[in-house]
Amino acid sequence: LRAAPPDAGLPAAPVTALAVDGGGRLLVGTERGAFRARADAGFEPLAAELADDAVSQLLVDADGSIWVGTVYA
């Protein structure tokens, strides 16, 4: 387990969910969106639509689809 450096692409927000996709890449849910690990050790947004959402759950189903649960206030 390693800490992601500040320039890795994750927002400065608490991590709220973790999962691994079918390709073995780490998925990270935060209070400011969901992100997927890149091969260069950085992160990219999983979906632009989630940028302002607090992610509570990440699930990868049997066919590889990624399901994201969010918190609504």
Side-chain angles (χ1 to χ4, degrees), residues 5-36:
D7 62 350
L10 286 175
V15 171
T16 56
L18 295 171
V20 177
D21 71 10
R25 292 188 294 174
L26 180 65
L27 304 173
V28 180
T30 74
E31 289 184 354
R32 292 181 47 213
F35 301 84
R36 182 191 323 253

Side-chain angles (χ1 to χ4, degrees), residues 51-67:
D52 295 322
D53 292 340
V55 174
S56 61
Q57 297 180 25
L58 292 167
L59 172 74
V60 180
D61 69 16
D63 70 0
S65 296
I66 299 168
W67 296 82

